[in-house]
Amino acid sequence: MVRELTREEKGKIRALVTKWCANYDREYGCLPLDCECYMLGKCWTGTYCRYFRDAVLPLDSVLEAALTAEGPAPETRPCPICGRAFLPDGRTRYCSPACAKKAHRRQQRDHMKKKRGWSVDN
C-alpha cells in the first residue's frame, strides 16, 4: 500500500533522523551514501532506509505502527500524565512505567489528603 505521508509523519521522521540516526551528519547528510539523507525528503511511504527502519523507527512505536500497518492507522490513546500518544496494550493507561509511577504517587497523595481532611486539588 502506497500513500502520501502526513505533515506530522514527515516532521516525526525528520526529528528521529536528526536526533537518533547514527548515519546522519548535519554537515554531510547520509554518511554511507555520501549524499543528502533519503529519509528527510521522503514524500511517500513504501521503501525506507534499512538502518532507519530497523534501528531508528522502533523508537517511536506510534509512528512505526502508522507506517507499517496495512489499512487504517491503529488506534492511539493520549497519556493522561504527559499527553504523549501511545499504542494501548489491553488495559494500559499510561505510556511508560515512569508515567504510571507518577500517576500512582498522585493518587496516593490525593488519598492521604482526603484521609487527613485536607482539600483535594485536581
Side-chain angles (χ1 to χ4, degrees):
M1 180 176 125
V2 177
R3 64 172 178 84
E4 190 169 353
L5 293 172
T6 65
R7 183 181 183 126
E8 293 80 22
E9 289 171 340
K10 289 178 189 177
K12 287 181 180 181
I13 288 173
R14 177 173 291 278
L16 283 174
V17 167
T18 56
K19 185 172 183 178
W20 296 108
C21 186
N23 292 333
Y24 177 75
D25 183 54
R26 291 183 194 269
E27 187 176 336
Y28 297 109
C30 185
L31 296 175
L33 299 178
D34 198 26
C35 65
E36 185 179 343
C37 179
Y38 168 73
M39 294 304 296
L40 297 182
K42 190 140 184 66
C43 293
W44 302 91
T45 60
T47 59
Y48 297 103
C49 169
R50 189 178 334 149
Y51 178 79
F52 176 82
R53 185 186 64 232
D54 295 340
V56 181
L57 189 57
L59 297 174
D60 188 345
S61 60
V62 175
L63 180 63
E64 181 182 24
L67 295 181
T68 58
E70 293 291 324
E75 180 185 343
T76 60
R77 185 182 301 167
C79 177
I81 300 299
C82 66
R84 222 176 73 197
F86 71 99
L87 294 170
D89 182 25
R91 293 174 35 185
T92 308
R93 293 182 59 194
Y94 306 103
C95 66
S96 67
C99 284
K101 185 176 180 180
K102 189 180 254 185
H104 186 263
R105 288 183 61 132
R106 280 186 190 173
Q107 291 168 356
Q108 292 295 87
R109 184 182 61 227
D110 291 344
H111 171 73
M112 291 307 292
K113 281 183 178 181
K114 186 176 178 181
K115 184 177 178 179
R116 292 179 182 133
W118 300 346
S119 64
V120 177
D121 299 329
N122 288 330

